[in-house]
Amino acid sequence: MIYLDNAATTKPSERALKAAEKYLTEKYFNPSSLYRAGHELNLQLKEARKNIVSLIGDENKFSCVFTSGGTEADNQAILCGGKRGNIVTTLGEHSAVYEAVNEAKKRGIEVRFAELNADGSVNREHLLSLIDDKTSLVSVVHVNNETGAINDVAAIAKMVKTENEFTLFHSDGVQAFGKISFRLTKDIDLYSVSAHKIGGIKGVGALIKRKDLILKPLIFGGGQEENIRSGTENVFGIKCFEFAAIEKLEAINQYYDKIFVLKKLFCSLLDSTMFNILSSDNASPYIISLIVKGVRGETILHEVDDKGLIIGTGSACSSNGNKRHSRVILACGVDKQTADGILRISLSSETCEQEIRTAAKILNETVANRLRLMA
């Protein structure tokens, strides 16, 4: 089996799992308990929080709230950060942000959507034109989860603060964290990350926030996570996240260079008479968005699945809906007929050259055969 749907989820790191195993089998205590073993686990959570934040930001200026994943982190940022006036975001956001702002709209907050460029990045001029003195929050995805387009969120955040210094800036960094070299700046107030996209386990994420930012909770209960996110912490999952993050960030540039070469190889091996590459050369090399000419992408997905190749057609978080076409791809200017042929290939640091060569061969043969049958 060749697995190239890593934007949906990655295989957990064996090294991280082994290092965190004791927090599942031996140190399984409640970290909020008053006895010594519980207190020791609380200290381990503080260490994990410090280590994860320090990988992309100044631990003296930023902290993090552990959540159940990127979706919860996005929801908390949107619903607890955008509390008045209007929220400005983009048409290229992950459903966790897109649906959260629509919920905010139901609660009386005006929502404004910035247009996309053809590659899926945000149109900066349009975004900035939407900001006014009533804008409480701006949210811009760091790496588009369908096209791989990279938004320079540090530069955009600075521009946002120039327009309105009181506006909070949030970015969904789920597809960037651990893959794209990046440091948080003073203009970024909130940043969402997820464990299972970088070799951690599902059900764990974090909302990184400015330390001096007062954020109300989204989930209420026992007051864990400094009363910002209640619920007994998943110590095993959090420590696994910490170890996986350290593993990825220690070699982030080497992994990036490796995947960049593999992306170029894969694109060069595809038959250009049957495929168009939607992702730009400047996109994250970890995500490649393709358009199959004249064939539904979902048809090809199932056919290559039978041949041992696992790929996607877009965001896995949108596959449960009944909409045939991706709203993100349509916002890139792709017409509905062409959007039918969308496929998403996503790599991980573990992807190798032979897998890329075999995957391209399977795709070329499968699409060619399908076109012959349709002729």
mmCIF file of all heavy atoms in Angstrom, residues 176-224:
data_model
loop_
_atom_site.group_PDB
_atom_site.id
_atom_site.type_symbol
_atom_site.label_atom_id
_atom_site.label_comp_id
_atom_site.label_asym_id
_atom_site.label_seq_id
_atom_site.Cartn_x
_atom_site.Cartn_y
_atom_site.Cartn_z
ATOM 1 N N ALA A 176 0.684 23.739 8.322
ATOM 2 C CA ALA A 176 1.999 24.387 8.274
ATOM 3 C C ALA A 176 2.908 23.914 9.394
ATOM 4 O O ALA A 176 4.118 23.717 9.191
ATOM 5 C CB ALA A 176 1.828 25.908 8.351
ATOM 6 N N PHE A 177 2.346 23.722 10.590
ATOM 7 C CA PHE A 177 3.135 23.374 11.765
ATOM 8 C C PHE A 177 3.884 22.062 11.563
ATOM 9 O O PHE A 177 3.304 21.036 11.222
ATOM 10 C CB PHE A 177 2.212 23.266 12.980
ATOM 11 C CG PHE A 177 2.924 22.975 14.264
ATOM 12 C CD1 PHE A 177 3.751 23.917 14.849
ATOM 13 C CD2 PHE A 177 2.765 21.756 14.910
ATOM 14 C CE1 PHE A 177 4.405 23.663 16.048
ATOM 15 C CE2 PHE A 177 3.406 21.485 16.107
ATOM 16 C CZ PHE A 177 4.238 22.444 16.670
ATOM 17 N N GLY A 178 5.196 22.112 11.737
ATOM 18 C CA GLY A 178 6.018 20.926 11.573
ATOM 19 C C GLY A 178 6.431 20.655 10.132
ATOM 20 O O GLY A 178 7.154 19.697 9.860
ATOM 21 N N LYS A 179 5.983 21.523 9.202
ATOM 22 C CA LYS A 179 6.282 21.302 7.784
ATOM 23 C C LYS A 179 6.924 22.520 7.128
ATOM 24 O O LYS A 179 7.795 22.377 6.275
ATOM 25 C CB LYS A 179 4.993 20.926 7.032
ATOM 26 C CG LYS A 179 4.339 19.653 7.560
ATOM 27 C CD LYS A 179 3.010 19.387 6.878
ATOM 28 C CE LYS A 179 2.333 18.157 7.481
ATOM 29 N NZ LYS A 179 1.015 17.870 6.853
ATOM 30 N N ILE A 180 6.454 23.697 7.518
ATOM 31 C CA ILE A 180 6.965 24.945 6.961
ATOM 32 C C ILE A 180 7.726 25.697 8.049
ATOM 33 O O ILE A 180 7.189 25.938 9.132
ATOM 34 C CB ILE A 180 5.813 25.845 6.449
ATOM 35 C CG1 ILE A 180 4.905 25.076 5.483
ATOM 36 C CG2 ILE A 180 6.348 27.114 5.814
ATOM 37 C CD1 ILE A 180 5.573 24.661 4.208
ATOM 38 N N SER A 181 8.963 26.094 7.769
ATOM 39 C CA SER A 181 9.757 26.830 8.750
ATOM 40 C C SER A 181 9.096 28.176 9.028
ATOM 41 O O SER A 181 8.822 28.954 8.101
ATOM 42 C CB SER A 181 11.176 27.041 8.223
ATOM 43 O OG SER A 181 11.988 27.638 9.199
ATOM 44 N N PHE A 182 8.841 28.455 10.308
ATOM 45 C CA PHE A 182 8.029 29.623 10.649
ATOM 46 C C PHE A 182 8.197 29.967 12.119
ATOM 47 O O PHE A 182 8.359 29.088 12.962
ATOM 48 C CB PHE A 182 6.555 29.307 10.351
ATOM 49 C CG PHE A 182 5.578 30.320 10.863
ATOM 50 C CD1 PHE A 182 5.433 31.542 10.228
ATOM 51 C CD2 PHE A 182 4.790 30.058 11.985
ATOM 52 C CE1 PHE A 182 4.534 32.488 10.700
ATOM 53 C CE2 PHE A 182 3.886 30.989 12.463
ATOM 54 C CZ PHE A 182 3.754 32.205 11.814
ATOM 55 N N ARG A 183 8.158 31.283 12.424
ATOM 56 C CA ARG A 183 8.178 31.752 13.803
ATOM 57 C C ARG A 183 7.020 32.721 14.015
ATOM 58 O O ARG A 183 6.733 33.568 13.166
ATOM 59 C CB ARG A 183 9.486 32.484 14.135
ATOM 60 C CG ARG A 183 10.745 31.638 14.008
ATOM 61 C CD ARG A 183 10.836 30.575 15.072
ATOM 62 N NE ARG A 183 11.007 31.132 16.416
ATOM 63 C CZ ARG A 183 11.088 30.366 17.509
ATOM 64 N NH1 ARG A 183 10.980 29.039 17.426
ATOM 65 N NH2 ARG A 183 11.250 30.913 18.692
ATOM 66 N N LEU A 184 6.351 32.603 15.142
ATOM 67 C CA LEU A 184 5.268 33.511 15.481
ATOM 68 C C LEU A 184 5.819 34.916 15.714
ATOM 69 O O LEU A 184 6.882 35.080 16.307
ATOM 70 C CB LEU A 184 4.560 33.031 16.740
ATOM 71 C CG LEU A 184 3.770 31.726 16.633
ATOM 72 C CD1 LEU A 184 3.393 31.225 18.017
ATOM 73 C CD2 LEU A 184 2.523 31.919 15.776
ATOM 74 N N THR A 185 5.062 35.911 15.248
ATOM 75 C CA THR A 185 5.456 37.303 15.442
ATOM 76 C C THR A 185 4.515 37.970 16.437
ATOM 77 O O THR A 185 3.470 37.418 16.796
ATOM 78 C CB THR A 185 5.398 38.070 14.103
ATOM 79 O OG1 THR A 185 4.029 38.130 13.664
ATOM 80 C CG2 THR A 185 6.244 37.377 13.048
ATOM 81 N N LYS A 186 4.848 39.176 16.841
ATOM 82 C CA LYS A 186 4.045 39.902 17.827
ATOM 83 C C LYS A 186 2.654 40.248 17.309
ATOM 84 O O LYS A 186 1.745 40.535 18.106
ATOM 85 C CB LYS A 186 4.772 41.175 18.252
ATOM 86 C CG LYS A 186 4.951 42.202 17.147
ATOM 87 C CD LYS A 186 5.689 43.433 17.644
ATOM 88 C CE LYS A 186 5.890 44.469 16.547
ATOM 89 N NZ LYS A 186 4.623 44.977 15.987
ATOM 90 N N ASP A 187 2.476 40.235 15.988
ATOM 91 C CA ASP A 187 1.184 40.600 15.401
ATOM 92 C C ASP A 187 0.212 39.425 15.321
ATOM 93 O O ASP A 187 -0.963 39.618 15.017
ATOM 94 C CB ASP A 187 1.392 41.179 13.996
ATOM 95 C CG ASP A 187 2.251 42.432 14.015
ATOM 96 O OD1 ASP A 187 1.919 43.343 14.795
ATOM 97 O OD2 ASP A 187 3.248 42.486 13.279
ATOM 98 N N ILE A 188 0.696 38.222 15.578
ATOM 99 C CA ILE A 188 -0.159 37.033 15.549
ATOM 100 C C ILE A 188 -0.625 36.739 16.966
ATOM 101 O O ILE A 188 0.177 36.504 17.863
ATOM 102 C CB ILE A 188 0.593 35.825 14.950
ATOM 103 C CG1 ILE A 188 0.977 36.116 13.494
ATOM 104 C CG2 ILE A 188 -0.269 34.560 15.033
ATOM 105 C CD1 ILE A 188 1.871 35.067 12.873
ATOM 106 N N ASP A 189 -1.931 36.762 17.165
ATOM 107 C CA ASP A 189 -2.489 36.582 18.503
ATOM 108 C C ASP A 189 -2.839 35.133 18.809
ATOM 109 O O ASP A 189 -2.697 34.679 19.944
ATOM 110 C CB ASP A 189 -3.759 37.430 18.649
ATOM 111 C CG ASP A 189 -3.493 38.899 18.409
ATOM 112 O OD1 ASP A 189 -2.838 39.519 19.257
ATOM 113 O OD2 ASP A 189 -3.927 39.422 17.357
ATOM 114 N N LEU A 190 -3.304 34.399 17.780
ATOM 115 C CA LEU A 190 -3.796 33.037 17.969
ATOM 116 C C LEU A 190 -3.362 32.170 16.791
ATOM 117 O O LEU A 190 -3.403 32.616 15.631
ATOM 118 C CB LEU A 190 -5.335 33.036 18.064
ATOM 119 C CG LEU A 190 -5.947 33.814 19.233
ATOM 120 C CD1 LEU A 190 -7.392 34.181 18.915
ATOM 121 C CD2 LEU A 190 -5.868 32.988 20.512
ATOM 122 N N TYR A 191 -2.969 30.923 17.090
ATOM 123 C CA TYR A 191 -2.459 30.036 16.040
ATOM 124 C C TYR A 191 -2.843 28.606 16.391
ATOM 125 O O TYR A 191 -2.514 28.111 17.472
ATOM 126 C CB TYR A 191 -0.942 30.180 15.944
ATOM 127 C CG TYR A 191 -0.293 29.562 14.728
ATOM 128 C CD1 TYR A 191 -0.307 30.210 13.497
ATOM 129 C CD2 TYR A 191 0.356 28.333 14.822
ATOM 130 C CE1 TYR A 191 0.307 29.654 12.383
ATOM 131 C CE2 TYR A 191 0.975 27.767 13.717
ATOM 132 C CZ TYR A 191 0.952 28.425 12.497
ATOM 133 O OH TYR A 191 1.560 27.873 11.387
ATOM 134 N N SER A 192 -3.558 27.927 15.492
ATOM 135 C CA SER A 192 -4.061 26.570 15.758
ATOM 136 C C SER A 192 -3.144 25.501 15.169
ATOM 137 O O SER A 192 -2.669 25.640 14.036
ATOM 138 C CB SER A 192 -5.460 26.394 15.141
ATOM 139 O OG SER A 192 -6.358 27.362 15.630
ATOM 140 N N VAL A 193 -2.910 24.440 15.937
ATOM 141 C CA VAL A 193 -2.079 23.325 15.467
ATOM 142 C C VAL A 193 -2.742 21.996 15.841
ATOM 143 O O VAL A 193 -3.616 21.948 16.703
ATOM 144 C CB VAL A 193 -0.653 23.390 16.060
ATOM 145 C CG1 VAL A 193 0.071 24.639 15.579
ATOM 146 C CG2 VAL A 193 -0.686 23.363 17.581
ATOM 147 N N SER A 194 -2.305 20.931 15.187
ATOM 148 C CA SER A 194 -2.901 19.610 15.401
ATOM 149 C C SER A 194 -1.817 18.548 15.449
ATOM 150 O O SER A 194 -0.822 18.626 14.716
ATOM 151 C CB SER A 194 -3.883 19.305 14.269
ATOM 152 O OG SER A 194 -4.439 18.016 14.404
ATOM 153 N N ALA A 195 -2.028 17.540 16.285
ATOM 154 C CA ALA A 195 -1.012 16.501 16.484
ATOM 155 C C ALA A 195 -0.963 15.486 15.351
ATOM 156 O O ALA A 195 0.114 15.092 14.901
ATOM 157 C CB ALA A 195 -1.262 15.781 17.813
ATOM 158 N N HIS A 196 -2.131 15.039 14.885
ATOM 159 C CA HIS A 196 -2.136 13.888 13.966
ATOM 160 C C HIS A 196 -1.708 14.233 12.549
ATOM 161 O O HIS A 196 -1.607 13.357 11.699
ATOM 162 C CB HIS A 196 -3.511 13.196 13.970
ATOM 163 C CG HIS A 196 -4.584 13.915 13.231
ATOM 164 N ND1 HIS A 196 -5.024 13.504 11.991
ATOM 165 C CD2 HIS A 196 -5.316 14.987 13.557
ATOM 166 C CE1 HIS A 196 -5.997 14.309 11.587
ATOM 167 N NE2 HIS A 196 -6.185 15.215 12.523
ATOM 168 N N LYS A 197 -1.407 15.509 12.277
ATOM 169 C CA LYS A 197 -0.893 15.900 10.967
ATOM 170 C C LYS A 197 0.626 15.773 10.890
ATOM 171 O O LYS A 197 1.201 15.873 9.806
ATOM 172 C CB LYS A 197 -1.289 17.342 10.643
ATOM 173 C CG LYS A 197 -2.772 17.648 10.758
ATOM 174 C CD LYS A 197 -3.617 16.927 9.728
ATOM 175 C CE LYS A 197 -5.058 17.426 9.792
ATOM 176 N NZ LYS A 197 -5.933 16.775 8.806
ATOM 177 N N ILE A 198 1.266 15.530 12.053
ATOM 178 C CA ILE A 198 2.740 15.504 12.068
ATOM 179 C C ILE A 198 3.284 14.284 12.819
ATOM 180 O O ILE A 198 4.385 14.328 13.351
ATOM 181 C CB ILE A 198 3.328 16.790 12.670
ATOM 182 C CG1 ILE A 198 2.806 16.999 14.107
ATOM 183 C CG2 ILE A 198 3.038 17.998 11.799
ATOM 184 C CD1 ILE A 198 3.604 18.010 14.892
ATOM 185 N N GLY A 199 2.503 13.216 12.877
ATOM 186 C CA GLY A 199 3.003 12.009 13.531
ATOM 187 C C GLY A 199 2.552 11.822 14.947
ATOM 188 O O GLY A 199 2.986 10.879 15.621
ATOM 189 N N GLY A 200 1.671 12.693 15.446
ATOM 190 C CA GLY A 200 1.056 12.481 16.747
ATOM 191 C C GLY A 200 -0.198 11.635 16.579
ATOM 192 O O GLY A 200 -0.439 11.079 15.512
ATOM 193 N N ILE A 201 -1.015 11.550 17.629
ATOM 194 C CA ILE A 201 -2.231 10.761 17.519
ATOM 195 C C ILE A 201 -3.440 11.680 17.375
ATOM 196 O O ILE A 201 -3.388 12.866 17.692
ATOM 197 C CB ILE A 201 -2.428 9.825 18.734
ATOM 198 C CG1 ILE A 201 -2.630 10.646 20.031
ATOM 199 C CG2 ILE A 201 -1.247 8.861 18.870
ATOM 200 C CD1 ILE A 201 -3.087 9.811 21.205
ATOM 201 N N LYS A 202 -4.530 11.126 16.895
ATOM 202 C CA LYS A 202 -5.767 11.886 16.722
ATOM 203 C C LYS A 202 -6.351 12.248 18.081
ATOM 204 O O LYS A 202 -6.175 11.540 19.055
ATOM 205 C CB LYS A 202 -6.773 11.068 15.907
ATOM 206 C CG LYS A 202 -6.278 10.676 14.525
ATOM 207 C CD LYS A 202 -7.255 9.734 13.844
ATOM 208 C CE LYS A 202 -6.671 9.180 12.546
ATOM 209 N NZ LYS A 202 -5.500 8.310 12.788
ATOM 210 N N GLY A 203 -7.073 13.364 18.112
ATOM 211 C CA GLY A 203 -7.735 13.775 19.342
ATOM 212 C C GLY A 203 -6.935 14.736 20.194
ATOM 213 O O GLY A 203 -7.293 14.999 21.345
ATOM 214 N N VAL A 204 -5.861 15.305 19.628
ATOM 215 C CA VAL A 204 -5.024 16.248 20.372
ATOM 216 C C VAL A 204 -4.630 17.408 19.463
ATOM 217 O O VAL A 204 -4.272 17.212 18.299
ATOM 218 C CB VAL A 204 -3.745 15.586 20.914
ATOM 219 C CG1 VAL A 204 -2.904 16.589 21.704
ATOM 220 C CG2 VAL A 204 -4.076 14.385 21.783
ATOM 221 N N GLY A 205 -4.723 18.598 19.991
ATOM 222 C CA GLY A 205 -4.285 19.782 19.270
ATOM 223 C C GLY A 205 -3.967 20.865 20.263
ATOM 224 O O GLY A 205 -3.942 20.632 21.471
ATOM 225 N N ALA A 206 -3.757 22.072 19.763
ATOM 226 C CA ALA A 206 -3.472 23.182 20.668
ATOM 227 C C ALA A 206 -3.804 24.502 20.002
ATOM 228 O O ALA A 206 -3.681 24.649 18.777
ATOM 229 C CB ALA A 206 -2.006 23.172 21.095
ATOM 230 N N LEU A 207 -4.225 25.434 20.814
ATOM 231 C CA LEU A 207 -4.390 26.815 20.379
ATOM 232 C C LEU A 207 -3.283 27.619 21.046
ATOM 233 O O LEU A 207 -3.279 27.808 22.266
ATOM 234 C CB LEU A 207 -5.759 27.358 20.788
ATOM 235 C CG LEU A 207 -6.037 28.822 20.420
ATOM 236 C CD1 LEU A 207 -5.961 29.017 18.911
ATOM 237 C CD2 LEU A 207 -7.388 29.278 20.952
ATOM 238 N N ILE A 208 -2.324 28.055 20.253
ATOM 239 C CA ILE A 208 -1.227 28.871 20.758
ATOM 240 C C ILE A 208 -1.708 30.316 20.799
ATOM 241 O O ILE A 208 -2.313 30.805 19.845
ATOM 242 C CB ILE A 208 0.021 28.718 19.872
ATOM 243 C CG1 ILE A 208 0.478 27.243 19.856
ATOM 244 C CG2 ILE A 208 1.152 29.623 20.360
ATOM 245 C CD1 ILE A 208 1.630 26.957 18.922
ATOM 246 N N LYS A 209 -1.473 30.985 21.910
ATOM 247 C CA LYS A 209 -1.992 32.335 22.106
ATOM 248 C C LYS A 209 -0.957 33.255 22.744
ATOM 249 O O LYS A 209 -0.030 32.789 23.410
ATOM 250 C CB LYS A 209 -3.243 32.310 22.994
ATOM 251 C CG LYS A 209 -2.986 31.740 24.391
ATOM 252 C CD LYS A 209 -4.226 31.745 25.268
ATOM 253 C CE LYS A 209 -4.558 33.096 25.814
ATOM 254 N NZ LYS A 209 -3.559 33.577 26.809
ATOM 255 N N ARG A 210 -1.138 34.544 22.490
ATOM 256 C CA ARG A 210 -0.330 35.511 23.216
ATOM 257 C C ARG A 210 -0.605 35.385 24.703
ATOM 258 O O ARG A 210 -1.752 35.276 25.124
ATOM 259 C CB ARG A 210 -0.687 36.927 22.771
ATOM 260 C CG ARG A 210 0.196 37.533 21.725
ATOM 261 C CD ARG A 210 0.005 39.049 21.619
ATOM 262 N NE ARG A 210 -1.367 39.465 21.381
ATOM 263 C CZ ARG A 210 -2.110 40.075 22.287
ATOM 264 N NH1 ARG A 210 -1.629 40.300 23.515
ATOM 265 N NH2 ARG A 210 -3.340 40.467 21.993
ATOM 266 N N LYS A 211 0.441 35.399 25.502
ATOM 267 C CA LYS A 211 0.277 35.198 26.942
ATOM 268 C C LYS A 211 -0.617 36.250 27.585
ATOM 269 O O LYS A 211 -1.382 35.950 28.496
ATOM 270 C CB LYS A 211 1.646 35.193 27.637
ATOM 271 C CG LYS A 211 2.283 33.815 27.732
ATOM 272 C CD LYS A 211 3.474 33.840 28.650
ATOM 273 C CE LYS A 211 3.978 32.417 28.889
ATOM 274 N NZ LYS A 211 5.139 32.382 29.793
ATOM 275 N N ASP A 212 -0.514 37.477 27.112
ATOM 276 C CA ASP A 212 -1.286 38.549 27.745
ATOM 277 C C ASP A 212 -2.687 38.695 27.163
ATOM 278 O O ASP A 212 -3.427 39.608 27.533
ATOM 279 C CB ASP A 212 -0.534 39.880 27.664
ATOM 280 C CG ASP A 212 -0.253 40.306 26.223
ATOM 281 O OD1 ASP A 212 -0.555 39.531 25.300
ATOM 282 O OD2 ASP A 212 0.280 41.414 26.023
ATOM 283 N N LEU A 213 -3.072 37.802 26.249
ATOM 284 C CA LEU A 213 -4.407 37.848 25.667
ATOM 285 C C LEU A 213 -5.391 37.115 26.577
ATOM 286 O O LEU A 213 -5.207 35.939 26.885
ATOM 287 C CB LEU A 213 -4.405 37.200 24.276
ATOM 288 C CG LEU A 213 -5.772 37.076 23.593
ATOM 289 C CD1 LEU A 213 -6.378 38.446 23.326
ATOM 290 C CD2 LEU A 213 -5.640 36.285 22.287
ATOM 291 N N ILE A 214 -6.421 37.815 26.999
ATOM 292 C CA ILE A 214 -7.461 37.205 27.832
ATOM 293 C C ILE A 214 -8.485 36.546 26.913
ATOM 294 O O ILE A 214 -9.131 37.226 26.112
ATOM 295 C CB ILE A 214 -8.140 38.251 28.736
ATOM 296 C CG1 ILE A 214 -7.102 38.869 29.680
ATOM 297 C CG2 ILE A 214 -9.276 37.619 29.529
ATOM 298 C CD1 ILE A 214 -7.640 40.016 30.504
ATOM 299 N N LEU A 215 -8.605 35.238 27.017
ATOM 300 C CA LEU A 215 -9.498 34.487 26.143
ATOM 301 C C LEU A 215 -10.512 33.725 26.989
ATOM 302 O O LEU A 215 -10.149 33.011 27.920
ATOM 303 C CB LEU A 215 -8.684 33.490 25.295
ATOM 304 C CG LEU A 215 -9.386 32.862 24.099
ATOM 305 C CD1 LEU A 215 -9.683 33.915 23.037
ATOM 306 C CD2 LEU A 215 -8.523 31.752 23.506
ATOM 307 N N LYS A 216 -11.786 33.895 26.670
ATOM 308 C CA LYS A 216 -12.826 33.194 27.404
ATOM 309 C C LYS A 216 -12.891 31.739 26.949
ATOM 310 O O LYS A 216 -12.562 31.419 25.816
ATOM 311 C CB LYS A 216 -14.177 33.879 27.198
ATOM 312 C CG LYS A 216 -14.269 35.244 27.853
ATOM 313 C CD LYS A 216 -15.662 35.826 27.728
ATOM 314 C CE LYS A 216 -15.757 37.162 28.449
ATOM 315 N NZ LYS A 216 -17.127 37.740 28.343
ATOM 316 N N PRO A 217 -13.336 30.838 27.828
ATOM 317 C CA PRO A 217 -13.420 29.411 27.456
ATOM 318 C C PRO A 217 -14.544 29.123 26.479
ATOM 319 O O PRO A 217 -15.535 29.854 26.407
ATOM 320 C CB PRO A 217 -13.661 28.723 28.799
ATOM 321 C CG PRO A 217 -14.286 29.760 29.670
ATOM 322 C CD PRO A 217 -13.677 31.059 29.243
ATOM 323 N N LEU A 218 -14.375 28.054 25.744
ATOM 324 C CA LEU A 218 -15.416 27.532 24.865
ATOM 325 C C LEU A 218 -16.084 26.335 25.527
ATOM 326 O O LEU A 218 -17.278 26.100 25.361
ATOM 327 C CB LEU A 218 -14.797 27.107 23.515
ATOM 328 C CG LEU A 218 -15.744 26.524 22.463
ATOM 329 C CD1 LEU A 218 -16.702 27.596 21.956
ATOM 330 C CD2 LEU A 218 -14.944 25.940 21.303
ATOM 331 N N ILE A 219 -15.279 25.579 26.291
ATOM 332 C CA ILE A 219 -15.777 24.395 27.008
ATOM 333 C C ILE A 219 -15.638 24.652 28.507
ATOM 334 O O ILE A 219 -14.561 25.020 28.986
ATOM 335 C CB ILE A 219 -14.986 23.136 26.601
ATOM 336 C CG1 ILE A 219 -15.247 22.820 25.122
ATOM 337 C CG2 ILE A 219 -15.373 21.935 27.470
ATOM 338 C CD1 ILE A 219 -14.444 21.656 24.590
ATOM 339 N N PHE A 220 -16.724 24.462 29.234
ATOM 340 C CA PHE A 220 -16.740 24.759 30.662
ATOM 341 C C PHE A 220 -16.759 23.473 31.495
ATOM 342 O O PHE A 220 -17.234 22.437 31.031
ATOM 343 C CB PHE A 220 -17.978 25.599 31.004
ATOM 344 C CG PHE A 220 -18.002 26.937 30.323
ATOM 345 C CD1 PHE A 220 -18.495 27.068 29.035
ATOM 346 C CD2 PHE A 220 -17.496 28.058 30.967
ATOM 347 C CE1 PHE A 220 -18.517 28.300 28.398
ATOM 348 C CE2 PHE A 220 -17.506 29.297 30.336
ATOM 349 C CZ PHE A 220 -18.019 29.424 29.041
ATOM 350 N N GLY A 221 -16.234 23.563 32.701
ATOM 351 C CA GLY A 221 -16.224 22.395 33.576
ATOM 352 C C GLY A 221 -15.294 22.596 34.745
ATOM 353 O O GLY A 221 -15.444 23.519 35.532
ATOM 354 N N GLY A 222 -14.271 21.757 34.832
ATOM 355 C CA GLY A 222 -13.387 21.739 35.987
ATOM 356 C C GLY A 222 -12.297 22.786 36.010
ATOM 357 O O GLY A 222 -11.507 22.836 36.956
ATOM 358 N N GLY A 223 -12.198 23.599 34.953
ATOM 359 C CA GLY A 223 -11.233 24.690 34.967
ATOM 360 C C GLY A 223 -9.817 24.313 34.574
ATOM 361 O O GLY A 223 -8.872 25.044 34.880
ATOM 362 N N GLN A 224 -9.656 23.177 33.868
ATOM 363 C CA GLN A 224 -8.309 22.805 33.422
ATOM 364 C C GLN A 224 -7.786 23.796 32.368
ATOM 365 O O GLN A 224 -8.521 24.623 31.854
ATOM 366 C CB GLN A 224 -8.317 21.383 32.837
ATOM 367 C CG GLN A 224 -8.534 20.279 33.844
ATOM 368 C CD GLN A 224 -9.990 19.966 34.118
ATOM 369 O OE1 GLN A 224 -10.879 20.691 33.706
ATOM 370 N NE2 GLN A 224 -10.240 18.868 34.820
#
